[in-house]
Amino acid sequence: MSIEGGEPTSEVAASVVKEIEAAGGTAVAVADDISTMAGGARVVETALGAYGRIDGVVCVAGILRERMLFNMSEEEWDPVVATHLKGTFTVFRAASAVMRKQGTGTLIGFTSGNHQGSVAQANYSAAKGGIISLVRSAALGLHKYGVTANAVAPVARTRMSANVPMELKEIGEPEDVAALVVYLLSDRARAEKITGQVYTIAGPKIAVWAQPRELRAGYAEGGAWTPERIADFLPGTVGTDPMPMLAMLEEMARAAAAGDRPNTGRGSGS
Ligand SMILES: NC(=O)c1ccc[n+]([C@@H]2O[C@H](COP(=O)([O-])OP(=O)(O)OC[C@H]3O[C@@H](n4cnc5c(N)ncnc54)[C@H](O)[C@@H]3O)[C@@H](O)[C@H]2O)c1
């Protein structure tokens, strides 16, 4: 497929098949649109037809339609969510049915550091956050069938990242990301019972993301809250959890005001 999505073609996929074969492996390519249920199913059926079983699936397809939230159109929102979030669902849906019967398998979704939020990619960020929740749901729902599910948040020089107008300090190559994916698909990762995790790989850096959890809690005396009681109680007790991305934005604004080139210290990438 082209980098913008749209009409499926298999030129890039076919050249990857050739590379794999030249390296002594076997591969088949499917030119299809994974944002449709039929497309996701065909990817899985093609692998099943060629190999008789499915040990792992990796949902890596993605597109960008960048726009500020207040200008974003439905035509910019829908295909991004359809490609990333629904596209991960369609493949996971078909593959997990096979893996459940096999009693083994690994699902891998691709998220992004930008699941934390993004200035001009609310569509992408929302889809990437959704993928993390989908992966964690798959990890929970398929645990008893011996199937694991994890997400990768890469930062690598690809056709997609070439369009990101920011200088990233922590960035690597697609080969770094491939190494993590191959590990997550391996028996060694399965032996470690790795599931429900989100890993970033950015060149030499590898990192695990925290599980979402309540940070601080408080309880209403007498059990009932009113807006006024919350106003009196919340700021000094439960408080807030500052957004790292907001701190980064403020730092970038300071740097820009000082005439420096915008530079993100932490590689969140697209
Ligand atoms: N490159 C980075 O630094 C970076 C950072 C964070 C997240 N990611 C994520 O990693 C994944 C891979 O990104 P990449 O950088 O290799 O981008 P890429 O544009 O090089 O590759 C994405 C591929 O998805 C394909 N695709 C798009 N719509 C499709 C559809 N409907 N059906 C099937 N295929 C479709 C495109 O043709 C393309 O080959 C994406 O999910 C992306 O969001 C990448």
Side-chain angles (χ1 to χ4, degrees):
M1 231 202 219
S2 72
I3 183 169
E4 290 84 17
E7 263 319 287
T9 61
S10 58
E11 276 161 45
V12 176
S15 74
V16 175
V17 168
K18 286 210 180 81
E19 264 183 64
I20 293 170
E21 285 171 348
T26 58
V28 283
V30 193
D32 221 317
D33 179 357
I34 47 81
S35 69
T36 65
M37 292 303 281
R42 272 192 293 268
V43 168
V44 169
E45 281 157 16
T46 304
L48 206 54
Y51 304 109
R53 54 181 288 119
I54 300 179
D55 296 305
V57 294
V58 184
C59 296
V60 80
I63 57 170
L64 294 174
R65 300 282 187 276
E66 294 176 316
R67 192 80 60 199
M68 295 302 285
L69 178 60
F70 42 80
N71 286 327
M72 189 174 285
S73 66
E74 193 176 7
E75 289 71 31
E76 288 161 337
W77 174 273
D78 283 349
V80 170
V81 175
T83 305
H84 291 273
L85 183 54
K86 187 175 173 190
T88 305
F89 164 68
T90 67
V91 177
F92 276 18
R93 163 71 181 81
S96 62
V98 177
M99 291 174 177
R100 177 185 167 205
K101 285 197 197 121
Q102 290 175 173
T104 180
T106 299
L107 306 167
I108 298 182
F110 264 60
T111 184
S112 159
N114 277 7
H115 77 269
Q116 298 172 92
S118 172
V119 172
Q121 299 175 323
N123 46 2
Y124 181 82
S125 178
K128 290 308 201 186
I131 287 173
I132 293 179
S133 297
L134 171 59
V135 160
R136 291 204 167 113
S137 299
L140 290 174
L142 294 161
H143 180 68
K144 70 173 177 182
Y145 303 108
V147 178
T148 59
N150 294 290
V152 173
V155 192
R157 287 181 198 90
T158 63
R159 296 190 293 172
M160 183 184 278
S161 65
N163 296 330
V164 176
M166 267 193 297
E167 187 187 312
L168 295 171
K169 268 192 195 156
E170 289 179 332
I171 186 160
E173 303 305 324
E175 287 76 9
D176 303 317
V177 182
L180 174 64
V181 169
V182 170
Y183 166 69
L184 289 173
L185 292 171
S186 73
D187 291 341
R188 289 180 68 180
R190 296 181 58 77
E192 297 287 337
K193 298 191 175 15
I194 294 178
T195 195
Q197 303 302 308
V198 180
Y199 291 107
T200 274
I201 185 140
K205 182 177 99 169
I206 194 160
V208 66
W209 289 79
Q211 296 289 337
R213 49 170 69 87
E214 289 175 355
L215 187 59
R216 275 182 297 276
Y219 293 86
E221 270 175 44
W225 291 110
T226 64
E228 291 74 22
R229 290 178 77 181
I230 292 174
D232 291 341
F233 181 87
L234 185 142
T237 52
V238 173
T240 60
D241 183 15
M243 286 182 80
M245 296 283 268
L246 203 52
M248 195 169 87
L249 263 190
E250 285 169 353
E251 179 51 39
M252 285 166 68
R254 262 193 299 277
D260 298 339
R261 187 164 176 223
N263 191 336
T264 67
R266 296 262 306 281
S268 59
S270 59

